[in-house]
């Protein structure tokens, strides 16, 4: 069985073997589409893996975007999202960024988290499989130790150290919770 992969906002860093989507025609995506426009041009439950690499912070409506990702993901499909960490200079330096993210930001969509159960911001749900600081950033010395510690103790890091030793990026890996066909 072939794994279907979707790379949203692919730009020039295309994921090999993925269907690429971008609004910029100069990047030669497979599909030209504005990710702020719903629905996305795909049928329900089509993709095993969906990637957003520094895209979600640019979009108008995070909840609506996540609902659309849920719609096009297969049951148990993985959604991997890379965003700048809110304490990072990268989060604020780009004037096109609309949103900032902490390690708990996706908890509001995690069916097993009290935030999702209490606030019900969305009718869909995911399981947050992992949240990692600086997963893809080359770090050495103290930054590597800070990232390792933050990944073991995200709440303590955010409350006690993130303002003194800010990291750069968060990676969320989530799984779509929806019924299997049949």
């Amino acid at each position: 069985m072939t794994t279907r992969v979707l790379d949203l906002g692919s730009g020039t860093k295309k994921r090999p073997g993925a269907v690429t989507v971008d609004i910029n025609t100069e990047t030669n995506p497979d599909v030209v589409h504005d990710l702020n426009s719903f629905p996305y041009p795909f049928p329900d439950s089509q993709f095993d893996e969906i990637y957003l690499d520094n895209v979600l912070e640019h979009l108008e409506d995070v909840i609506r975007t996540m609902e659309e990702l849920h719609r096009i993901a297969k049951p148990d499909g993985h959604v991997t999202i890379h965003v700048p960490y809110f304490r990072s200079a990268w989060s604020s330096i780009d004037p096109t960024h609309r949103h900032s993210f902490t390690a708990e930001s996706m908890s509001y969509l995690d069916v097993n988290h009290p935030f999702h159960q209490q606030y019900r911001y969305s009718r869909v749900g995911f399981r947050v499989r992992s949240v990692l600081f600086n997963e893809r950033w080359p770090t050495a010395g103290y930054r590597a130790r800070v990232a390792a510690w933050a990944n073991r103790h995200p709440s303590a890091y955010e409350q006690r150290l993130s303002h003194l030793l800010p990291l750069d990026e968060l990676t969320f890996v989530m799984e779509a919770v929806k019924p299997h066909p049949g």
Side-chain angles (χ1 to χ4, degrees):
M1 186 162 93
T2 303
T3 300
R4 295 220 46 216
V5 180
L6 181 64
D7 188 354
L8 295 173
S10 57
T12 58
K13 298 185 302 183
K14 297 181 184 340
R15 190 169 294 279
V19 174
T20 58
V21 179
D22 206 295
I23 194 170
N24 184 350
T25 58
E26 293 182 21
T27 65
N28 297 313
D30 298 316
V31 178
V32 175
H33 185 76
D34 179 353
L35 296 175
N36 286 313
S37 178
F38 305 102
Y40 293 172
F42 303 105
D44 296 355
S45 300
Q46 289 298 300
F47 296 98
D48 300 285
E49 299 174 18
I50 301 172
Y51 293 89
L52 290 89
D53 187 346
N54 287 280
V55 172
L56 191 59
E57 67 274 14
H58 296 273
L59 301 179
E60 293 170 4
D61 188 339
V62 171
I63 299 296
R64 181 67 185 100
T65 299
M66 295 305 296
E67 289 172 345
E68 190 62 8
L69 299 180
H70 187 274
R71 181 187 71 77
I72 63 177
K74 288 183 178 179
D76 304 324
H78 284 186
V79 176
T80 302
I81 301 168
H82 302 284
V83 292
Y85 181 53
F86 89 105
R87 294 269 193 207
S88 166
W90 305 113
S91 181
S92 301
I93 198 169
D94 187 334
T96 66
H97 287 182
R98 297 170 183 250
H99 307 282
S100 297
F101 297 89
T102 74
E104 290 288 341
S105 291
M106 293 299 159
S107 298
Y108 289 86
L109 296 167
D110 185 334
V111 296
N112 297 318
H113 198 284
F115 289 171
H116 177 72
Q117 296 162 8
Q118 180 178 356
Y119 296 108
R120 296 284 177 186
Y121 287 156
S122 176
R123 67 192 186 306
V124 305
F126 293 86
R127 283 186 201 90
V128 175
R129 290 299 182 199
S130 65
V131 179
L132 293 172
F133 289 91
N134 281 32
E135 175 192 38
R136 305 177 312 162
W137 282 71
T139 54
Y142 88 91
R143 289 178 62 75
R145 291 189 298 278
V146 170
W149 193 84
N151 286 328
R152 285 191 309 275
H153 311 285
S155 293
Y157 167 73
E158 285 192 331
Q159 293 171 11
R160 297 187 182 109
L161 288 178
S162 65
H163 64 292
L164 297 172
L165 302 168
L167 294 170
D168 301 295
E169 183 179 66
L170 284 169
T171 300
F172 298 97
V173 177
M174 305 169 72
E175 183 177 275
V177 175
K178 57 199 289 188
H180 289 264

